[in-house]
Amino acid sequence: VDARTGADFTRDALAQALSRDGARVHIATHGRTRRGLLGQSGLLLPRAGSGELAFVSWIGLADQPIRADLLVLNACDLADGPGSGATRQTAFANALAASGARDTVAALWPVSDGAAAVWVPAFYRALAETPDDPARALQQAQSALRASRMYRHPHYWSALIHLTSIAPAALSAAPARP
């Protein structure tokens, strides 16, 4: 396990983690989506060698092979794209899923830190029981939020979504369309 926190979790550290076969990458930081601006969905991560934050767009990561099995984006808005649902494929989470992350968990809108303190541990407890089924683990985490008095409102649990990528082998094995 390679755990990076604080100033050590730079854009390069993220790119390296995403490029590892079978990696599970959990990112807890600030996310930002500027609706209407292509490529302006991303993370705020420490800039190497300084105390400043740098914006890391999906454009800067999606051109490299992403081999991580699981990407958990515990950051606001990263499954939401710039504009309507027609352009949602340009959201940070969707772009990284399309670039090869087998399973991605992200939020469509900001979720409170308090709600994250409920769903994240519930997600990983469930994932420990069913390591090959992140969708089921997310469902159980959403159930934990619904069971909570403070976070049972759909605003908290319905923001969280699970995305999967289509394996390149599956694409090449698909029958050609007439």
Side-chain angles (χ1 to χ4, degrees), residues 38-58:
L38 186 64
Q40 291 300 303
S41 177
L43 302 167
L44 294 172
L45 296 176
R47 180 168 293 158
S50 78
E52 299 175 8
L53 293 177
F55 178 70
V56 178
S57 168
W58 60 266

Side-chain angles (χ1 to χ4, degrees), residues 1 11 25 30 72 80 101 123 125 132 141-142 145 162 166:
V1 174
R11 184 225 175 269
V25 181
H30 294 287
V72 178
D80 189 21
F123 174 78
R125 273 193 305 275
D132 293 331
Q142 289 171 314
L145 286 169
H162 171 251
I166 299 173

Side-chain angles (χ1 to χ4, degrees), residues 44-94:
L44 294 172
L45 296 176
R47 180 168 293 158
S50 78
E52 299 175 8
L53 293 177
F55 178 70
V56 178
S57 168
W58 60 266
I59 292 174
L61 295 170
D63 63 346
Q64 69 179 39
I66 295 181
R67 295 185 177 100
D69 279 352
L70 176 62
L71 175 59
V72 178
L73 297 168
N74 188 7
C76 298
D77 290 330
L78 294 182
D80 189 21
S84 69
T87 58
R88 218 174 272 281
Q89 70 274 16
T90 60
F92 188 87
N94 298 51

